[in-house]
Amino acid sequence: MKKQIPVVGAIIFNQNQVLCAQRSETMSLPLMWEFPGGKIEDGESDIDALKREIREEMKCDLEVGEKVTTTTYEYDFAIIQLTTYRCKLKSQLPILTEHQAIKWLNKKDLKVLNWAPADIQAVDLIVNEG
């Protein structure tokens, strides 16, 4: 039986643009795009995990808003349960520590990127909203 890993992702908005993060060549799913975030530690809430992960990965603080969706996707290495939240940056812009690249894209342009499979449902929801 594969391990189930609960993870959280931040869909970070700035006006009508969304932050997209490209995984580095050394990560699993190399060079695919994702919403930044990471694993939820034991006893941690989704929101606490998201704030901690973004602080660690991008050296910035988030204001976490409403939940967008939860998706379960089975990769060859594990079953990922990804819950995404609408977020805003508090002040400073992200600094890359783990990702290869970041881009701010208009919502309607998100599908041009090669997204990690677990992120696609959230991408579709964001692209298709009002």
Side-chain angles (χ1 to χ4, degrees), residues 17-78:
Q17 295 200 308
V18 177
L19 181 78
C20 311
Q22 187 178 35
R23 297 176 67 82
S24 77
E25 289 174 359
T26 57
M27 297 165 108
S28 57
L29 309 172
L31 302 182
M32 291 188 107
W33 291 82
E34 65 179 356
F35 296 117
K39 295 184 186 95
I40 301 169
E41 315 254 323
D42 287 342
E44 204 174 31
S45 74
D46 286 11
I47 309 286
D48 288 343
L50 201 49
K51 289 181 172 180
R52 176 186 52 75
E53 282 285 348
I54 298 301
R55 217 172 288 132
E56 288 171 7
E57 281 181 22
M58 300 196 154
K59 309 286 182 221
C60 56
D61 288 316
L62 281 185
E63 198 177 294
V64 180
E66 74 213 29
K67 177 178 153 179
V68 174
T69 188
T70 299
T71 312
T72 302
Y73 190 85
E74 185 170 340
Y75 290 101
D76 52 6
F77 55 87

Side-chain angles (χ1 to χ4, degrees), residues 13 16-21 33 35 103-115 120 122-130:
F13 285 87
N16 211 24
Q17 295 200 308
V18 177
L19 181 78
C20 311
W33 291 82
F35 296 117
K103 278 184 185 176
W104 289 95
L105 285 185
N106 282 325
K107 284 193 323 191
K108 64 178 178 19
D109 297 328
L110 290 177
K111 292 193 174 187
V112 302
L113 300 177
N114 180 22
W115 288 90
I120 289 173
V123 169
D124 287 343
L125 287 168
I126 297 296
V127 169
N128 296 322
E129 67 185 14

Side-chain angles (χ1 to χ4, degrees), residues 2-21:
K2 284 188 187 161
K3 204 165 119 178
Q4 274 227 1
I5 304 174
V7 297
V8 282
I11 304 177
I12 302 172
F13 285 87
N14 186 1
Q15 278 105 31
N16 211 24
Q17 295 200 308
V18 177
L19 181 78
C20 311

Side-chain angles (χ1 to χ4, degrees), residues 83-102:
T83 302
T84 44
Y85 289 86
R86 300 177 80 89
C87 299
K88 285 188 183 125
L89 292 176
K90 284 204 172 149
S91 53
Q92 67 277 45
L93 286 173
I95 296 165
L96 292 187
T97 63
E98 292 178 19
H99 289 87
Q100 171 117 345
I102 55 173

